[in-house]
């Protein structure tokens, strides 16, 4: 990894800052987390942290979602099975202890920060849920999925349902029964008539 001047960055600082941000998020919550505290916990300077992440939200987003495997599994050949897996994995990702602490603040900040919003979208479009396009194309080709449904709409349905359910039911409410019922509603809404 290099910065704009081409000087190599120390990957140990990146990892230490991400670990520190995750630990502090669990200890103090999103609102009270500061980049100064992250730098101190990581054993580095505030400028070193700011060179990597321009805001707290940028850092927290990467710290919370850095380890998630968001690659879509190979298409199963069945739309309901593939959507079930999408909903299950999205629910698991958004109900982790770190995500529960970070997502409300991240959503609020992304709404008012076009750069953060763009980075979040690029991350999830570029590296998140890789392979979902093939799953959708295969379902359209089999005649299971309406050809007007695109990947982004399917993701919005899954993510939106998981976020709303986490607020309404609490994270424990997104159990297998909820995943199954939500999958049914999504599949019936996008299925080709």
């Amino acid at each position: 990894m290099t910065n704009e001047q081409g000087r190599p960055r120390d990957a140990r600082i990146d990892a230490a800052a991400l670990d520190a941000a995750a630990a502090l998020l669990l200890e103090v919550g999103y609102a009270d987390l500061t980049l100064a505290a992250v730098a101190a916990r990581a054993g580095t300077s505030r400028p070193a942290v700011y060179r990597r992440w321009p805001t707290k939200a940028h850092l927290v987003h990467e710290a919370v979602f850095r380890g998630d495997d968001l690659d879509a599994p190979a298409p199963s050949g069945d739309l309901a099975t593939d959507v079930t897996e999408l909903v299950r994995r999205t629910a698991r990702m958004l109900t982790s202890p770190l995500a529960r602490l970070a997502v409300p603040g991240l959503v609020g900040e992304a709404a008012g920060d076009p750069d953060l919003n763009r980075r979040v979208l690029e991350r999830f479009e570029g590296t998140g849920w890789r392979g979902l396009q093939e799953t959708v194309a295969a379902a359209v080709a089999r005649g299971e999925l309406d050809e007007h449904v695109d990947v982004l709409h399917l993701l919005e349905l899954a993510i939106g349902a998981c976020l709303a359910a986490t607020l309404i039911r609490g994270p424990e409410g997104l159990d297998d029964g909820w995943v199954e019922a939500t999958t049914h509603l999504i599949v019936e809404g996008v299925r080709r008539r």
Side-chain angles (χ1 to χ4, degrees), residues 16 72 81 85 110 127 131:
T81 300
E85 185 60 19
T127 62

Side-chain angles (χ1 to χ4, degrees), residues 115-176:
D115 179 62
L116 176 63
N117 191 41
R118 179 187 53 77
R119 286 183 187 211
V120 169
L121 290 176
E122 284 176 357
R123 180 170 191 275
F124 285 118
E125 288 174 2
T127 62
W129 291 290
R130 248 179 304 210
L132 190 56
Q133 187 68 44
E134 291 79 15
T135 299
V136 167
V140 170
R142 288 190 309 271
E144 283 188 283
L145 184 61
D146 187 293
E147 64 188 33
H148 298 6
V149 174
D150 66 18
V151 171
L152 189 56
H153 284 121
L154 197 54
L155 283 172
E156 289 168 350
L157 290 170
I159 293 168
C162 290
L163 285 173
T166 300
L167 292 172
I168 295 168
R169 299 168 183 264
E172 301 78 23
L174 279 71
D175 58 14
D176 288 340

Side-chain angles (χ1 to χ4, degrees), residues 38 44 59 67 73 132:
V38 169
T44 191
L59 171 60
L132 190 56

Side-chain angles (χ1 to χ4, degrees), residues 65-108:
F65 298 113
R66 70 177 161 157
D68 288 335
D69 173 19
L70 301 177
D71 288 351
S76 69
D78 176 67
L79 179 63
T81 300
D82 295 336
V83 174
T84 298
E85 185 60 19
L86 172 65
V87 172
R88 179 175 284 113
R89 294 170 81 214
T90 303
R92 188 172 49 238
M93 179 184 72
L94 293 176
T95 58
S96 76
L98 283 172
R100 291 191 332 245
L101 291 166
V103 167
L106 291 174
V107 168

